Amino acid sequence: IVEQKDADEETQAINEINAGIYCFDTRKLFAALANVRNNNAQGEYYLTDVPALLREAGEDISIYLHHDAYEIEGVNNRVQLAELERILNRRTIARLMLDHGVTFVDPKNTYVSERARIGRDTVIYPNVSIEGDATIGDGCTIRSGTRITNSKIGHGVEILDNCVIVDSEISNDCTVGPMAHLRGNALMQEGSKVGNFVELKKTKLGRGSKANHLTYLGDATIGENTNIGAGTITCNYDGKNKNPTTIGDNVKIGSDTMLVAPVKVGDGASTGAGSVVTKDIEDETLVVGVPAKPIRKVEREEKIASKTS
C-alpha cells in the first residue's frame, strides 16, 4: 500500500485504492508496529506499512475488493460530504419509488432520511424534507415546503404546504396545515384537523376535533368532536411552570378565547368569542366575558350545531 505522496506515475495509474478499513489480530498488529519506520515523503509512521510487514513475516494477508466505491469514499471536506449525502438521498428515493410504490413529484428537490419508512401510494411534492426516524403511512399527500422529523404519520393523511412536524404523531385520515406546527409529542387522533397557522405543543387533539385557524394549543388535552375557534390560546405558562388545559368532548370554543391554565372545560360546554377563561367550566355550560362567567346551559340545538360545524 503506497501513500499518494510516495507513489510514482506507474503506481498512481492503478485504479484501486486503499479504503483504510482493516481487521487485525491485535497481538500481531502491535508486534508489527514496532517495526514501522518513517522513511517516506512526509516523515510519518504509516499504518499502511503493517500489511507488508506481516506478509514478510509469513502471516496471511487477505484483500476484499468492494463493489461500490461510494460506500468506502473518504470525506475530507464539506464538498465531499455534500456529494455523498446527495448520492445516498438519490438511492433512498429510488428504493422508495421502485420497491415501496411512493410517488415523488420532483425527486431532485426532495430530501428523505435513509431511516425513513414511507407507505405505498403516498405522494410527496417538491421541497419536502423527511428527517430522522420518520414513518409515513399509505395513501398520504405531503405538500411542498413541509418538514417532518422523527414523527409518525398514519394512513390517508393530508399535510398541506409549509408545515413543520417534529417528534409528533398524526393518526389516520387527519388534515394538517397549511403553515401548521406540531412539536413536543403532539398527537392528532383519527380524523382530526389542524389548519393554517395553528401550533400544537405537547397536546392531544381528540378524534374528529378541529382547530382550523391561528391558534396555539400547548400542554392541552382535547376530547372528541370539539371545535376550537380562530385565535384561541391556551395560556399555559405562568412565568414559572407550564400548566395543563383539559377540554372535553363536543365543546365549542369561541374565537379569541384565552384559556388561562390550569383550567378544565367540561363536555358539551361553549365559550363566547373573546372570553378569558380563568376557572373550570361545568359540562354543557356557556361562559362569556372577561373574566368568563357562566350564562346558561347549552341548548340541545347548539350541541348538535357544534358537532356538525
Side-chain angles (χ1 to χ4, degrees), residues 31 33 73 143 145 149 163 174-175 184 205 210 226 255-256 262 308:
L33 286 173
E73 182 79 16
R143 294 282 179 175
T149 303
C163 294
C174 291
T175 302
L205 185 64
K210 297 180 288 185
T226 284
S255 297
D256 288 325
T308 57

Side-chain angles (χ1 to χ4, degrees), residues 50 73 75 83 188 196 198 256 283:
V50 169
E73 182 79 16
V75 176
E83 176 64 14
M188 292 179 62
N196 35 230
V198 174
D256 288 325
D283 292 353

Side-chain angles (χ1 to χ4, degrees), residues 7 20 42 47 72 91 130 148 187 196 228 244 249 253 265 273 289:
Q42 300 184 98
L47 178 63
I72 50 85
R91 292 181 178 183
I130 300 171
I148 300 170
L187 169 62
N196 35 230
I228 308 295
D249 300 336
I253 301 295
V265 179

Side-chain angles (χ1 to χ4, degrees), residues 171-207:
S171 302
N172 298 343
D173 302 315
C174 291
T175 302
V176 182
M179 307 289 185
H181 186 188
L182 276 64
R183 62 186 177 94
N185 297 309
L187 169 62
M188 292 179 62
Q189 293 193 312
E190 190 169 328
S192 58
K193 182 177 181 180
V194 165
N196 35 230
F197 299 102
V198 174
E199 179 178 2
L200 266 58
K201 191 278 292 187
K202 199 177 179 181
T203 287
K204 173 184 173 183
L205 185 64
R207 185 188 305 267

Side-chain angles (χ1 to χ4, degrees), residues 133-136 148-154 165 168-171:
D133 216 2
T135 301
I136 300 173
I148 300 170
T149 303
N150 296 326
S151 296
K152 182 178 180 181
I153 313 297
I165 301 164
S168 296
E169 181 176 349
I170 300 172
S171 302

